[in-house]
Every structure is written in C-alpha cells, then in structure tokens.
Amino acid sequence: MNNKWISRSAAAVFLACGALTFCLPGGGYLWAQQPSGTTPSLSAPIQNPQQGGQQKTTVSAKEAFEMVSKEAEKGDLEAMFALASLYEKGIGVPRNFTKAVDWHHKAAVANHAPSIYQLGLAYEIGKGVTANRDAAMKNFNKAAELKVPEAYYKLASLAMAGNAPQPNEKKALEHLKKAGVSGGKAFEALGNFYENGVGLAPNFTEALKSYKKAADTGLVEAMFRIGNCYEVGIGTPVNPKEALAVYQRAVDQKSAAAAYKLAGIYMSGSLA
C-alpha cells in the first residue's frame, strides 16, 4: 500500500484502498486503516519525524472527522479535500455526497487541483450534483491545466465519446500525449477505450486495430492484447493458431504475461 502525507501543516487525509492517513497539527502523523464492511475504529501509531519516536493511540472515526473539520473550517485546502472525502466515504459522519461536493467546491475556488478533478467526476456521473457534461469538461480541463494526469485521461475518454457520431481519436491522442502517454502506449490506451467501452460503446474491431497500431511500434504489451483478441474472439473470429503465434512473438520480446499465458495454454491444452 502506498502511504502519502498530503498536508504540510494541518490535519489532512489520504484515502486509498480504505486507508486513512492524517497529518496532525504540530507535526505528528496518524495512519489508520478501516477494514471494509466494518465500523471505523482508528487505532494507529502517531509519529513525530523530528523525534523519530512512536506511540500508540486510538482515534474514533468521529474524532477523526472532527479533527479534519476544524482544520477545513480554518481554510486549510488539504483538510477541505479530506473532509469531502470523509463525507463521500461516510467515515465519522453519515455519507453525504452533496456535502462532499460542497467542500470540493470550496477548495476548488482556491485552485486546489485534486478537488477540481473530483468536481469533474461528480458532474460526469451526477454524484452529489446534477450530471452536467459541460461542467465535467470544464473541471477536467482546469485540472489538466494544473497537471493532474488523471484529468488528461478523462478528457481523452470524453473525446472518444464526443458529441458527434464518430469518436475524436485525434483529440484523444492529444490528451493522452499531454498525460505523458504517447506512441504505442497511446494507441494501446485507445484500444482499451474501444474494448471496454470507456467513453463510448464498445467497438471490438476498432480495439484490435488500435492494438495492432501499438504493436507496430514494438510495444510488447500490445502484442499480448492482440493474442488475447485472437484467443477469445475480440474484433476477429477466434483463431487459436494466430493467438499462439502472437503470444510466442511477445514471449520472444520478454513478455512475462505472454509467457504465463502460453504456459497455461500448454498445460491445459485449451488451444491445442
């Protein structure tokens, strides 16, 4: 699990995989994990980086919520983001998506990039606010300007959806490039959009075309995806012979995934 201290001076929280990390006033740190499906009870070490010491304490979810609330009310942007997350997760307080959006709005006014991105997500799916594609795009664009990588991916997927009958691959590729994804990786991402219906209805034929474009750049991960397409019939009739050939080419280029796949196939005889 990746733990990250996201506040420099006041109470804040980083939520990922059900984990909570607080940076307490005065330099102390609190880490806690909420088991899924349980009532939060936060028992964790508090560390002081200056002293290198550690002591045990127990903080209830409600107390944690109150700690973050106080700092948010003082105008701490990280605490505002944290408070919105607590409302969204229902930790220490009844779940309330509307209040979560309200706190993201307050932080967004001060140009807090993560909150701006979260507003985009809220408007995209109508979580705590009426769904509004234009508002989602506006917030994703602003988050992208503030260098939030995930915002570029969202803009790319929305470009694939578009308002026109045909997806705008060129625009999607531009956003992926800005996110640091270019060349074969960008075409692989487009293939994934098509295959899984990200931002548009699934189109397996176009997915395979994109994977082939990615493979033409030498991207071994795309070769593995092509092998899977031939194996199960994504954008093409099932073709065991071609699937094995493509997997083998990927193995020849040191693809661990393809090696495991081939081993499983030969052990089961599934494509024999």
Side-chain angles (χ1 to χ4, degrees):
M1 182 180 295
N2 246 345
N3 298 320
K4 178 180 179 185
W5 313 123
I6 61 170
S7 176
R8 298 177 181 82
S9 61
V13 63
F14 174 71
L15 292 106
C17 303
L20 305 176
T21 303
F22 292 90
C23 177
L24 304 173
Y29 293 96
L30 166 67
W31 180 86
Q33 185 168 12
Q34 177 197 355
S36 58
T38 64
T39 301
S41 179
L42 311 182
S43 180
I46 290 183
Q47 300 173 317
N48 189 315
Q50 284 74 35
Q51 298 176 356
Q54 178 172 307
Q55 66 183 63
K56 272 286 191 180
T57 190
T58 299
V59 181
S60 70
K62 183 178 180 181
E63 288 171 326
F65 171 80
E66 290 172 352
M67 290 164 58
V68 176
S69 295
K70 288 180 181 178
E71 299 304 319
E73 293 290 355
K74 293 177 184 177
D76 184 281
L77 297 180
E78 299 291 0
M80 290 180 183
F81 178 84
L83 189 57
S85 300
L86 294 176
Y87 273 118
E88 183 179 355
K89 296 282 186 178
I91 297 175
V93 67
R95 178 171 284 178
N96 190 319
F97 296 132
T98 300
K99 287 188 176 181
V101 169
D102 287 344
W103 279 104
H104 280 314
H105 264 299
K106 291 178 181 179
V109 169
N111 247 26
H112 186 255
S115 287
I116 293 169
Y117 175 72
Q118 289 297 321
L119 281 180
L121 293 178
Y123 279 114
E124 181 185 17
I125 63 176
K127 192 174 184 179
V129 69
T130 302
N132 185 322
R133 188 177 187 279
D134 289 340
M137 288 285 288
K138 179 180 178 180
N139 282 285
F140 287 143
N141 272 305
K142 189 172 182 180
E145 290 172 3
L146 296 172
K147 309 304 181 185
V148 177
E150 295 84 356
Y152 289 116
Y153 279 99
K154 276 295 179 182
L155 289 171
S157 67
L158 289 171
M160 292 296 285
N163 293 315
Q166 295 298 318
N168 191 337
E169 285 191 4
K170 182 178 179 180
K171 195 70 175 176
L173 285 168
E174 288 177 4
H175 289 306
L176 289 170
K177 186 176 181 180
K178 289 177 181 177
V181 181
S182 59
K185 280 288 187 182
F187 283 113
E188 185 192 19
L190 285 180
N192 183 59
F193 287 165
Y194 278 122
E195 181 181 351
N196 297 293
V198 178
L200 74 170
N203 187 323
F204 300 136
T205 300
E206 291 299 325
L208 181 56
K209 286 182 181 178
S210 293
Y211 292 145
K212 287 182 175 179
K213 289 179 181 178
D216 286 342
T217 70
L219 186 68
V220 67
E221 292 91 339
M223 294 180 190
F224 176 78
R225 288 182 178 272
I226 293 169
N228 183 65
C229 288
Y230 282 117
E231 180 185 356
V232 301
I234 297 175
T236 180
V238 172
N239 189 330
K241 183 178 179 180
E242 188 64 23
L244 287 171
V246 175
Y247 283 141
Q248 186 59 59
R249 287 200 294 273
V251 170
D252 293 342
Q253 296 194 39
K254 312 302 183 185
S255 169
Y260 280 116
K261 171 63 77 169
L262 273 184
I265 288 172
Y266 287 131
M267 288 291 290
S268 65
S270 59
L271 291 183

